[in-house]
Amino acid sequence: MRRAERLTAFSWARVAVIALLGSLLVLLVAAGLRSLLWVLVAIASVALAGVGLWWTLAHPGPLRAAGALLAAAAPVTALALFVGHGMLVPACLALGLWLLALTAARIATTPAAGSGGRGREPVAVPPASRPWVVMNPRSGGGKVARFGLAEKARAAGAQVVLLDPAHHQDVAELARRAVADGADLLAVAGGDGTQALVAEVAARHDVPFVVIPAGTRNHFALDLGLDRDDPAAALEAFTDAVEFRVDLGFAAGRVFVNNASFGTYAAVVAEPGYRDAKLQTVLRALPALLTGPDAPRLRMRAGRRRARGLQAVLVSNNPYRRLGDPVRPGLRECLDSGWLGVLGVCVDSSARAARLLTRRPPALTRLTTHEVVVDTDTDATPGAGSGVAPGANGDARPGAGGGAGVVPAGIDGESVVLPAPVVCRISPGALRVRVPRHRPGTPPNRPPADWRRVLRLAITRRRRRAGGLGPRA
């Protein structure tokens, strides 16, 4: 670590320590030993709100109404107690200092740019001579027309294919024909599902791939550091671009650029009204999917790890950042690690819902792997709370059931049905991606706060200052 980087790390470490001590001091000055009671009140309100949210999502009728009331009343009651006892200002100040301490600690322990992690750096490339782009006019509420993407792409020398919303077209076949006709670059202006179809063709023929963020969420574009608010800016990748390789995920042989989901989310996506009325569809479908007699239950295995009785499994092309990441919780750490991220969820009771915000909630199974197998768990019953079953040697043991049949899945948000068991794997560096040379980029991946390391950084700096008058080694 260079001297300037060490100074920055030491400075942020001192800020973190001072802010953490300040948050504790504020509570002690304001309430003395009773500050512990106020912390417990805040924790209880969060736990009760989690229980209320679970009732709202998992149960219909009166229990749903009671859950919504509890989820709203718990934090309001806690707030009223803080106000009534004159603790609101100290609590807000302590919370602000704690957030500052957490942020400073993460910055202090963030590796310097370029210090490792990615083995493939972007390289400048010449302009494409025969770029080809497929555009979905319906994606993102009509972004193709709103931003004039077709006209701008043609002006940049690209052959443009506009999909016909009234007729189904085989996007992958269109891309294959384009390569056969001499296209030296494939691009997509559409949703993540369309991007995955063309990305598979580009990877198979080793042709560069360009993402134009014209979809609704544009998760892949976000992880590539593109400007999602200005889709036309991505067209610069045709003329002034850098190129690097990223990984691709496969689920039963089908490519995904973001993730493959199984269980509850996949079932919701398959609902007929999901596209037009997402919230209403989710609220209507979730009770049966979470606590109903036919609620989906899954099992998965990755090497020696086993889990069963899961309500949902998310397999991502490279791991997502932790849910507690305050900057971009939906952002992936990178796109070329060569690892799948796997998240299994089993929230089958109010108690598990209340513990979701803890550091290691038992309802979540999180791991990274090169390959994972997802299957239906016919032996699991709703409410069993099986989660991960530890074996005698400390590992998880496999369960029976599953095997024959199919598994509903969501591949980059597109509802499909895959033959069970579903083998998900990753293909490192399979896709050549081109992006504009000048783009916003992604925020740095800050690790969870490691307070031991933060304290060590701060103390080490003080020791060096104390001995600064001595001779240098």
Side-chain angles (χ1 to χ4, degrees):
M1 187 183 292
R2 295 188 297 270
R3 184 173 184 275
E5 294 168 354
R6 288 199 302 268
L7 287 173
T8 300
F10 294 141
S11 300
W12 281 111
R14 288 197 299 272
V15 170
V17 172
I18 293 171
L20 180 61
L21 294 175
S23 66
L24 298 175
L25 185 61
V26 166
L27 290 177
L28 288 173
V29 170
L33 295 178
R34 288 182 303 164
S35 57
L36 179 60
L37 175 62
W38 290 109
V39 171
L40 293 177
V41 168
I43 294 174
S45 69
V46 174
L48 289 173
V51 171
L53 183 60
W54 164 253
W55 289 352
T56 303
L57 297 177
H59 301 280
L63 198 54
R64 167 170 286 180
L69 180 61
L70 179 60
V76 170
T77 302
L79 181 63
L81 289 173
F82 276 91
V83 172
H85 291 78
M87 284 295 297
L88 181 61
V89 173
C92 290
L93 181 57
L95 178 61
L97 287 171
W98 180 79
L99 292 176
L100 173 60
L102 187 63
T103 302
R106 291 164 62 90
I107 294 175
T109 55
T110 298
S115 63
R118 297 196 182 198
R120 310 176 184 94
E121 294 299 325
V123 295
V125 290
S129 58
R130 297 191 64 182
W132 177 90
V133 56
V134 59
M135 298 186 175
N136 186 349
R138 298 182 61 183
S139 291
K143 285 185 178 179
V144 169
R146 192 159 66 250
F147 288 91
L149 297 180
E151 295 77 10
K152 293 176 181 177
R154 292 189 181 102
Q159 178 187 354
V160 177
V161 174
L162 284 173
L163 297 179
D164 184 355
H167 299 88
H168 172 73
Q169 294 169 275
D170 190 335
V171 175
E173 179 60 26
L174 292 174
R176 284 190 288 268
R177 290 179 186 173
V179 173
D181 291 339
D184 62 347
L185 181 149
L186 300 180
V188 175
D192 292 325
T194 307
Q195 292 169 15
L197 295 173
V198 179
E200 180 176 8
V201 178
R204 186 178 300 276
H205 295 277
D206 199 31
V207 174
F209 180 69
V210 169
V211 173
I212 303 170
T216 302
R217 289 172 291 275
N218 302 295
H219 290 162
F220 193 42
L222 172 66
D223 292 315
L224 291 174
L226 300 177
D227 187 351
R228 297 186 298 171
D229 296 325
D230 184 11
L235 297 174
E236 293 181 12
F238 294 163
T239 55
D240 185 19
V242 293
E243 183 178 302
F244 51 90
R245 286 187 175 270
V246 301
D247 309 332
L248 284 180
F250 288 81
R254 178 159 178 164
V255 164
F256 57 91
V257 295
N258 292 322
N259 56 63
S261 58
F262 306 89
T264 302
Y265 176 72
V268 170
V269 171
E271 289 288 322
Y274 177 75
R275 297 295 176 187
D276 299 324
K278 289 184 173 60
L279 181 59
Q280 295 89 326
T281 303
V282 168
L283 291 176
R284 184 182 68 252
L286 275 183
L289 294 173
L290 293 176
T291 56
D294 298 323
R297 289 296 184 269
L298 303 167
R299 60 175 177 162
M300 69 177 184
R301 69 176 187 271
R304 300 178 65 186
R305 293 288 302 274
R306 301 288 190 274
R308 58 178 301 182
L310 300 171
Q311 293 155 308
V313 175
L314 181 73
V315 182
S316 60
N317 173 23
N318 286 261
Y320 284 101
R321 297 187 182 185
R322 296 280 177 177
L323 296 178
D325 192 319
V327 181
R328 292 280 177 83
L331 201 66
R332 279 168 284 187
E333 297 174 0
C334 65
L335 291 171
D336 60 1
S337 70
W339 293 92
L340 294 172
V342 182
L343 181 66
V345 181
C346 180
V347 185
D348 51 14
S349 67
S350 301
R352 286 195 169 214
R355 297 177 64 184
L356 273 178
L357 295 179
T358 60
R359 186 170 180 82
R360 297 183 183 275
L364 300 182
T365 302
R366 186 185 179 102
L367 57 95
T368 57
T369 183
H370 297 295
E371 182 177 288
V372 61
V373 180
V374 181
D375 201 352
T376 55
D377 192 0
T378 56
D379 285 354
T381 57
S386 51
V388 177
N393 61 353
D395 296 320
R397 67 173 183 267
V406 295
V407 179
I411 303 295
D412 287 333
E414 299 295 326
S415 179
V416 298
V417 176
L418 302 175
V422 180
V423 178
C424 299
R425 63 179 180 86
I426 194 163
S427 180
L431 181 65
R432 297 167 57 190
V433 172
R434 287 190 182 180
V435 294
R437 187 190 305 267
H438 305 290
R439 64 192 190 282
T442 58
N445 178 31
R446 305 204 183 281
D450 184 345
W451 287 105
R452 290 184 180 180
R453 186 180 173 193
V454 171
L455 288 172
R456 189 163 57 247
L457 281 171
I459 292 173
T460 301
R461 179 59 183 163
R462 285 198 293 270
R463 287 177 177 173
R464 290 187 178 184
R465 283 193 169 183
L469 296 176
R472 294 185 180 180

